[in-house]
Amino acid sequence: MDFIPIALFWGLALIGLFGNRSLLIYLFFATMPFGSFAVFPTTMTMGLTFTPTPIVACILFLRTFINGRAIKFGLSALFAPRGLLLLTAFWAVAVLVTIFSPRFFAGHVIVVPMKVTRFFQSGFLQPTTQNISQIMYLTISVITVVTFARLMIDAKQQQNALKGLCIGGGLAVFTGILDLSSHFIPLDWLLDPFRTASYVLMTDVTLEGGTRRVVGLMPEASSYGALCTQLLTLVYFLRHAITDHFYRQKVVPVVAALLLLFVWLSTSSSAYVALVVFGAFAGLDFLWRAKKARRGTRAGRELELEFWVVAAATAVVFTGFVARPEIFDSLFRLFDQLVLKKTSTSSFEERTFWTLTSWQALLDTYGLGVGMGGTRASNEVVAVLSNTGFLGGLLYYGFALQSMLRRAYPGDVVNSALVTGLRWSFLPGLTAGILAGTSADFGMKNAFLFGTMFAAAIVSWHNRRKSLATPPKSVDTQNVPA
């Protein structure tokens, strides 16, 4: 039955390639929860796993840059100092380091292989197929940034992407429900065709006390928790940029609430910490909007509704705690086991070993790095530095900072909300990455974030300049210069 999901995926992808481009945008987000699904049989790819979202990103890239005007825009954006030049330089450094370091330092530097098959595994650096797969994934992430930088200058595609986020969040919840149900009823016939990745899948893990970890269709609980957290932050903070009333008022609250529930069911400690960071930034976002909103306006009414919803939920939880405190005992025990006592677990010791070994590998290569896929860490910053060197890390985080500092013209309501929401949503994901990130590839979520931030900022200020120079009229956003 494995061929049925593969055929379904490629059928939808080809319809998007030769037909409606909006379908590819929806498919990009809809495939995010399928992180254990290989769209090519691994017997055909020398054991490498190609998951659906990066493949959709490649098809979307081809569909977007099909004419000379789009190619000119992409090249201009990639080499513009205020555009994506730092990202282009980071990619170039990563490629050079990946070509030379695994060969130059082979047999002299201790690393943790990307494919870990035993506890506390390490070995000497050498060229592997992981170098190829990881640099390919990084390349796909870079071209995805350029793709969304081009697509998101179109207001219609902006809204398609925001609706796609809601669909992706809904499917993340749905796959979680299926996985949770499979613990009670036989659903292997439905789930196994989507669990075809060649790497180790930890889909049947039970914690002390009998708690089963929910993984959805991701490789493990921590990746599922990270996915739900990322989608939750994007859906929540970007909701103000959604112009469709039904999606903003009806779909977003339901999807966000369910994602919050399944973050908890994932029992991922890094997701829990990211959730705390998300809560802190959600509070800051509320205070920031409250400072600017006026009573009686739509923004003011939304703030009042949010306040009373949170107040009511807090009152219910507090009342339940006072009346029946024993109900919360299992929750407290779970939090204590996953977060407070995390440092005493073998998992924490092994992940610390990964990070320390990768950091030492960076020093042993004189700060040059071991190449993409050369070593595995459990910290995003250490992963980037150890794989691409100090220079690569400086370029990537310099680009991330440049992206976060992009601004939209305050009078442009939608793009301003988009830029602000993307800025708020970046930091919870960064926190999760610092706690458990294993790869130097910044991934599809950040690719969407960086590309959209760039597009929203330049379109907003372009529209502002046009409105000052000429009487108000429609703007051809397809020719916005990078």
Side-chain angles (χ1 to χ4, degrees), residues 55-71:
I55 300 301
V56 174
C58 291
I59 297 173
L60 190 58
F61 171 78
L62 294 174
R63 181 73 172 79
T64 302
F65 292 93
I66 200 169
N67 58 62
R69 186 172 62 179
I71 293 173

Side-chain angles (χ1 to χ4, degrees), residues 108-379:
H108 298 285
V109 177
I110 300 294
V111 296
V112 178
M114 290 296 292
K115 277 193 173 182
V116 175
T117 57
R118 64 178 186 272
F119 200 54
F120 282 93
Q121 182 178 354
S122 63
F124 284 110
L125 175 66
Q126 59 183 346
T128 66
T129 57
Q130 294 302 310
N131 299 131
I132 300 172
S133 63
Q134 289 299 308
I135 201 66
M136 285 177 62
Y137 275 125
L138 178 63
T139 302
I140 293 171
S141 295
V142 171
I143 66 173
T144 304
V145 174
V146 187
T147 302
F148 278 104
R150 174 65 176 173
L151 284 174
M152 294 298 103
I153 62 178
D154 185 340
K156 179 183 177 181
Q157 302 298 359
Q158 281 184 1
Q159 295 304 311
N160 287 334
L162 294 175
K163 292 176 182 178
L165 275 172
C166 296
I167 294 172
L171 283 172
V173 170
F174 179 68
T175 57
I177 292 173
L178 288 178
D179 180 56
L180 183 63
S181 301
S182 70
H183 300 159
F184 309 101
I185 57 178
L187 288 177
D188 291 344
W189 62 274
L190 179 60
L191 298 177
D192 286 349
F194 293 96
R195 289 173 171 166
T196 54
S198 60
Y199 35 74
V200 177
L201 302 179
M202 302 175 65
T203 59
D204 193 21
V205 178
T206 303
L207 300 175
E208 294 180 12
T211 302
R212 298 286 294 269
R213 308 187 75 179
V214 176
V215 302
L217 289 175
M218 298 297 287
E220 57 179 345
S222 60
S223 59
Y224 179 71
L227 170 74
C228 289
T229 306
Q230 291 171 358
L231 289 171
L232 171 62
T233 56
L234 286 169
V235 167
Y236 179 83
F237 286 121
L238 295 180
R239 70 194 188 282
H240 300 295
I242 299 176
T243 57
D244 188 303
H245 177 81
F246 176 75
Y247 269 84
R248 188 178 66 251
Q249 298 292 342
K250 307 297 182 183
V251 176
V252 168
V254 173
V255 171
L258 290 173
L259 284 171
L260 184 63
L261 172 63
F262 277 86
V263 170
W264 177 262
L265 292 175
S266 73
T267 64
S268 168
S269 56
S270 59
Y272 287 177
V273 175
L275 201 60
V276 172
V277 177
F278 161 73
F281 281 105
L284 291 175
D285 173 61
F286 179 88
L287 295 175
W288 177 257
R289 288 184 292 118
K291 179 182 177 182
K292 299 193 300 180
R294 296 180 180 178
R295 292 183 61 86
T297 62
R298 189 189 79 181
R301 289 192 295 270
E302 288 180 352
L303 284 168
E304 291 176 5
L305 178 62
E306 290 175 25
F307 174 81
W308 288 115
V309 168
V310 173
T314 304
V316 170
V317 173
F318 180 76
T319 302
F321 179 75
V322 172
R324 299 287 299 276
E326 65 275 10
I327 297 177
F328 296 86
D329 288 348
S330 60
L331 298 179
F332 290 145
R333 284 196 299 270
L334 183 62
F335 184 80
D336 181 61
Q337 176 185 351
L338 292 174
V339 179
L340 301 181
K341 293 182 179 179
K342 179 70 174 179
T343 56
S344 62
T345 63
S346 58
S347 172
F348 178 82
E349 292 176 357
E350 183 181 33
R351 285 180 172 272
T352 302
F353 168 75
W354 294 351
T355 302
L356 292 177
T357 302
S358 296
W359 177 256
Q360 187 59 48
L362 171 66
L363 300 180
D364 291 343
T365 57
Y366 308 101
L368 296 176
V370 297
M372 293 293 297
T375 187
R376 168 189 286 262
S378 186
N379 179 297

